[in-house]
């Protein structure tokens, strides 16, 4: 099937354009084995689950998710799970691969997730800010290893006039602590999008100030 022939599975559900205008479409290829044991492409599509974030100003595309480790591939159990289940912000004992398209000038909530995150900038330039006030500029190809730390993403691409994209791979972790107390999950405004997963807000987060 040609990429141009694919239907967007989010059509009729996502209100904002997907992908964000001027960003290329995301194409997912899933591999497996045929009856002869040869490696083959099982599917080519745009992903099963899409979600608008923070007042419809960003779009998340779930590339894949798992709910156990090690992952069970036999019988296509992993494919069935990923297809049928839209994950929360993270998955207990599992993983989430999520592509997020940020609107021009987008600013994420200050958030902390109980997970180990590999964040790879795919398109654009970001400022990543920690709750200590420390910050780094991240450009295309740069990677942040987020170890359950509170952080905020600011899309500064084109002086805030262009969209940008980050790929997040999120792995479940054991309970962690800072040396003084247990680290708690804090999603800020993402509470509205992943409410079943979160119980904590940062007091200074407001919808009007985000994205």
């Amino acid at each position: 099937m040609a990429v141009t022939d694919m239907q967007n599975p989010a059509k009729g559900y996502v209100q904002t354009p997907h992908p964000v205008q001027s960003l290329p479409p995301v194409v997912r290829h899933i591999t497996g084995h045929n009856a002869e044991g040869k490696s083959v492409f099982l599917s080519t599509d745009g992903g099963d689950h899409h979600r608008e974030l923070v007042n419809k100003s960003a779009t998340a595309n779930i590339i894949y998710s798992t709910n156990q480790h090690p992952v069970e591939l036999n019988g296509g159990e992993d494919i069935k799970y990923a297809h049928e289940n839209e994950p929360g912000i993270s998955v207990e004992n599992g993983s989430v691969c999520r592509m997020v398209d940020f609107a021009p000038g987008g600013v994420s909530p200050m958030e902390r997730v109980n997970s180990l995150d590999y964040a790879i900038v795919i398109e654009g330039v970001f400022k990543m800010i920690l709750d200590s006030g420390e910050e780094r500029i991240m450009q295309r190809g740069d990677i942040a290893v987020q170890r359950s730390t509170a952080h905020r993403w600011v899309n500064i691409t084109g002086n805030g006039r262009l969209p940008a994209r980050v790929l997040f791979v999120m792995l479940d972790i054991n309970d962690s602590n800072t040396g003084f107390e247990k680290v708690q999950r804090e999603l800020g405004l993402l509470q509205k999008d992943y409410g079943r997963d979160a119980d904590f807000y940062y007091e200074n987060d407001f919808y009007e100030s985000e994205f």
Side-chain angles (χ1 to χ4, degrees):
M1 178 176 59
V3 172
T4 54
D5 296 331
M6 291 190 303
Q7 297 296 314
N8 185 349
K11 186 176 181 181
Y13 169 65
V14 175
Q15 304 303 313
T16 51
H18 183 79
V20 172
Q21 289 181 347
S22 84
L23 292 176
V26 175
V27 180
R28 178 184 70 170
H29 306 281
I30 298 179
T31 65
H33 298 90
N34 63 16
E36 289 73 43
K38 298 293 185 180
S39 299
V40 296
F41 290 102
L42 299 178
S43 63
T44 295
D45 55 34
D48 292 314
H49 309 289
H50 301 77
R51 177 178 289 270
E52 294 168 329
L53 303 175
V54 189
N55 216 19
K56 300 183 179 180
S57 296
T59 304
N61 181 351
I62 304 300
I63 306 302
Y64 214 63
S65 64
T66 64
N67 66 339
Q68 57 183 310
H69 184 79
V71 179
E72 180 59 71
L73 301 185
N74 293 317
E77 286 192 23
D78 60 312
I79 295 175
K80 184 174 185 293
Y81 174 83
H83 175 69
E84 295 179 354
N85 297 275
E86 179 182 357
I89 193 72
S90 60
V91 177
E92 184 176 1
N93 298 321
S95 67
V96 181
C97 182
R98 175 185 285 111
M99 190 85 78
V100 177
D101 292 348
F102 286 75
V107 182
S108 78
M110 182 65 73
E111 59 178 297
R112 185 204 313 272
V113 181
N114 290 344
S115 59
L116 173 64
D117 306 344
Y118 305 134
I120 305 103
V121 177
I122 303 299
E123 298 282 352
V125 183
F126 288 86
K127 179 185 292 184
M128 187 177 70
I129 305 171
L130 306 182
D131 63 356
S132 64
E134 291 188 67
E135 58 185 53
R136 294 288 188 273
I137 300 299
M138 295 184 59
Q139 304 184 62
R140 186 169 60 182
D142 288 351
I143 303 170
V145 180
Q146 286 279 0
R147 301 177 60 253
S148 195
T149 50
H151 61 282
R152 184 190 302 273
W153 293 91
V154 182
N155 176 15
I156 60 174
T157 310
N159 292 321
R161 295 191 296 269
L162 297 173
R165 174 177 286 167
V166 181
L167 177 67
F168 297 93
V169 179
M170 310 177 74
L171 308 177
D172 192 29
I173 61 172
N174 295 324
D175 289 342
S176 60
N177 61 73
T178 62
F180 301 97
E181 59 184 9
K182 179 182 175 181
V183 172
Q184 301 284 1
R185 177 182 300 183
E186 300 160 328
L187 292 189
L189 298 180
L190 288 175
Q191 168 80 16
K192 288 253 182 174
D193 303 304
Y194 294 105
R196 67 183 183 273
D197 294 311
D199 302 308
F200 302 94
Y201 289 88
Y202 274 89
E203 294 181 358
N204 294 326
D205 276 332
F206 299 95
Y207 267 93
E208 292 75 15
S209 66
E210 304 300 336
F211 291 96

